[in-house]
């Protein structure tokens, strides 16, 4: 099923404003143009540029032809090589100075798809759109895309982004309001991508060799609240409701389980709105079980756990950014591990001139 959420004018303006001053594209394209708002904004700024538009929907294509009589409009399935070859942009690989994208987000009933020419890599639709679109980007051009946060952070798309990061500079320009798209609450970001001088896509099998080793061990609880084996003489169960004011309070339930965690440790929620008060210290030698909504970091000493909590609070925006998702915000074990590693190494985002968050994206931040 293809979702249809057209780009609002405000986001279109934010995207093109992220380009460097003096940038003047001669050829612009949108491969999922929809109502044409991205191209309309771009063509207003650069009226002399040649504009190419495509949309898989015939009705949208007809509207685009009426909207821009001078535009080169196609109506093909962009993810199909055969269809692309029949389009008006089919023979223009490597020719577009500016590629604009708001690709389909929905993954309902859609399995990860192999990348053309890179069968070892699979991804969802949005990342696949980006990969194919980059083949049309000129050496000094820019690709601007609105992408769901899940695309940037999921295990499903991780190998693809790691491969692209070796060949392209990938920057997250800003995080968009969740109500940016009419009729849906979605966490999305604007991403800017540019080719490096000598791009060479990374070998995805080199994953383990090139990835920076993690130093933080994050543990996820395994006990689901709807299927607990309660036992008055069992192990205390810690759920998010027991994480309060920086300490782990007395639990409501005891359960039968062999999977436990012993303090000292730092516990925090996996799902939901996280606050500094939800970063809680588990005392030395205290043994508990964790619900599957709680993550924990084992520490050697109580002092180490306290120091980790202090470091996270000092870098709170960076930690809170790790909670993403189109519904309830959540953080994965992999993402939590990487965020905590980065915090402890002092890696932080850079604030752009327009006060919007701008930082270089790297695959280790997944």
């Amino acid at each position: 099923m293809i979702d249809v959420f057209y780009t609002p004018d405000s986001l279109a303006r934010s995207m093109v404003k992220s380009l460097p001053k003096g940038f003047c594209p001669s050829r612009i394209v949108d491969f999922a143009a929809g109502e044409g708002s991205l191209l309309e904004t771009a063509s207003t700024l650069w009226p002399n540029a040649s504009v190419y538009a495509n949309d898989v929907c015939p009705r949208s294509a007809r509207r685009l032809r009426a909207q821009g009589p001078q535009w080169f409009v196609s109506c093909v399935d962009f993810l199909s090589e055969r269809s692309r070859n029949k389009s008006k942009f089919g023979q223009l690989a490597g020719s577009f100075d500016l590629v604009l994208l708001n690709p389909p987000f929905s993954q309902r009933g859609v399995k990860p798809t192999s990348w053309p020419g890179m069968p070892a890599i699979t991804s969802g639709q949005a990342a696949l759109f980006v990969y194919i679109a980059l083949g049309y980007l000129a050496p000094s051009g820019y690709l601007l895309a609105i992408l769901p946060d899940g695309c940037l952070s999921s295990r499903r798309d991780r190998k693809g982004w790691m491969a692209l990061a070796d060949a392209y500079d990938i920057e997250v320009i800003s995080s968009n309001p969740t109500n940016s798209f009419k009729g849906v609450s979605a966490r999305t970001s604007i991403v800017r991508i540019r080719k490096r001088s000598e791009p060479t896509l990374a070998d995805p099998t080199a994953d383990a060799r090139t990835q920076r080793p993690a130093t933080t061990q994050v543990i996820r609880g395994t006990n689901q609240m709807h299927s607990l084996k309660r036992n008055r003489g069992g192990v205390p169960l810690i759920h998010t409701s027991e994480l309060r004011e920086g300490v782990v309070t007395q639990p409501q339930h005891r359960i039968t389980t062999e999977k436990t965690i012993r303090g000292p440790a730092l516990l925090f929620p996996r799902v939901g709105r996280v606050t500094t008060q939800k970063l809680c210290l588990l005392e030395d030698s205290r043994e508990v079980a964790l619900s599957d909504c709680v993550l924990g970091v084992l520490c050697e000493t109580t002092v180490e756990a306290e120091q980790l909590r202090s470091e996270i609070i000092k870098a709170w925006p960076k930690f809170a950014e790790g909670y993403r998702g189109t519904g309830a915000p959540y953080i994965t074990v992999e993402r939590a591990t990487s965020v905590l590693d980065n915090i402890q190494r002092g890696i932080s985002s850079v604030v752009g001139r327009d006060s919007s968050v701008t930082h270089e994206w790297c695959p280790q931040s997944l």
Side-chain angles (χ1 to χ4, degrees):
M1 180 179 293
I2 298 176
D3 49 4
V4 181
F5 300 112
Y6 296 124
T7 308
D9 293 339
S10 58
L11 283 191
R13 289 191 295 269
S14 295
M15 290 176 73
V16 297
K17 284 182 179 179
S18 71
L19 292 165
K21 291 183 178 179
F23 177 71
C24 186
S26 60
R27 188 175 283 165
I28 303 169
V29 67
D30 185 344
F31 297 116
E35 291 185 327
S37 57
L38 290 174
L39 292 176
E40 189 71 43
T41 300
S43 60
T44 299
L45 286 174
W46 301 290
N48 295 324
S50 298
V51 175
Y52 287 73
N54 177 70
D55 200 275
V56 70
C57 173
R59 183 177 181 181
S60 295
R62 288 194 296 270
R63 187 189 304 123
L64 290 167
R65 291 188 183 98
Q67 182 177 355
Q70 74 282 18
W71 295 356
F72 300 92
V73 178
S74 300
C75 181
V76 302
D77 178 2
F78 182 68
L79 298 183
S80 164
E81 182 178 5
R82 178 179 294 182
S83 294
R84 293 196 303 272
N85 290 339
K86 295 178 180 179
S87 70
K88 294 181 180 179
F89 58 82
Q91 306 305 314
L92 296 176
S95 300
F96 290 93
D97 305 296
L98 181 59
V99 177
L100 301 169
L101 278 183
N102 175 9
F105 290 0
S106 178
Q107 287 300 125
R108 290 171 292 178
V110 179
K111 295 182 179 179
T113 305
S114 295
W115 283 13
M118 302 187 74
I121 295 180
T122 62
S123 75
Q125 286 191 99
L128 179 61
F129 246 86
V130 171
Y131 168 66
I132 296 175
L134 285 171
Y136 292 88
L137 188 65
S140 59
Y142 286 90
L143 183 148
L144 298 175
I146 300 173
L147 298 176
D149 284 358
C151 170
L152 297 170
S153 61
S154 68
R155 180 192 291 270
R156 176 196 64 213
D157 298 332
R158 183 171 182 268
K159 279 190 176 181
W161 287 115
M162 291 187 71
L164 293 179
D166 251 31
Y168 299 89
D169 292 320
I170 305 170
E171 298 172 283
V172 178
I173 300 304
S174 66
S175 295
N176 304 320
T178 56
N179 61 350
S180 295
F181 293 92
K182 185 177 180 180
V184 64
S185 177
R187 294 180 180 271
T188 62
S189 296
I190 296 175
V191 178
R192 183 174 66 194
I193 304 177
R194 189 180 190 186
K195 286 185 178 181
R196 292 181 178 168
S197 56
E198 295 182 358
T200 303
L201 286 184
D203 178 359
T205 61
D207 229 348
R209 298 192 300 273
T210 60
Q211 190 178 358
R212 185 175 59 205
T215 59
T216 307
Q217 182 184 6
V218 178
I219 298 172
R220 175 179 171 178
T222 59
N223 299 285
Q224 298 180 339
M225 296 301 292
H226 62 82
S227 59
L228 299 177
K229 297 180 180 179
R230 291 180 173 80
N231 180 353
R232 291 184 179 181
V235 180
L237 175 69
I238 304 303
H239 187 49
T240 52
S241 54
E242 279 74 56
L243 304 181
R244 303 176 188 174
E245 306 298 327
V247 298
V248 181
T249 62
Q250 290 301 314
Q252 301 179 30
H253 307 291
R254 287 178 173 267
I255 63 171
T256 299
T257 182
E258 295 181 356
K259 296 182 179 180
T260 63
I261 181 174
R262 183 184 296 271
L266 184 68
L267 307 184
F268 51 93
R270 180 182 64 84
V271 181
R273 288 192 169 275
V274 66
T275 67
T276 56
Q277 300 302 309
K278 289 287 189 178
L279 294 174
C280 298
L281 298 173
L282 181 68
E283 302 95 319
D284 190 6
S285 300
R286 183 178 176 186
E287 185 175 14
V288 299
L290 302 181
S291 82
D292 64 350
C293 293
V294 176
L295 299 180
V297 177
L298 292 171
C299 300
E300 292 291 335
T301 65
T302 299
V303 171
E304 181 184 326
E306 292 173 343
Q307 288 176 340
L308 177 58
R309 184 175 189 274
S310 178
E311 289 175 3
I312 294 173
I313 292 175
K314 287 179 182 178
W316 184 251
K318 181 71 175 178
F319 182 76
E321 272 184 14
Y323 286 77
R324 304 170 187 166
T326 54
Y330 68 95
I331 192 167
T332 63
V333 170
E334 293 82 4
R335 198 155 67 228
T337 298
S338 185
V339 169
L340 292 175
D341 278 351
N342 287 346
I343 286 174
Q344 293 180 89
R345 289 186 175 105
I347 299 173
S348 60
S349 296
V350 178
V351 179
R353 288 173 296 176
D354 61 354
S355 298
S356 61
V357 176
T358 304
H359 61 88
E360 182 175 357
W361 180 91
C362 61
Q364 285 85 1
S365 66
L366 288 176

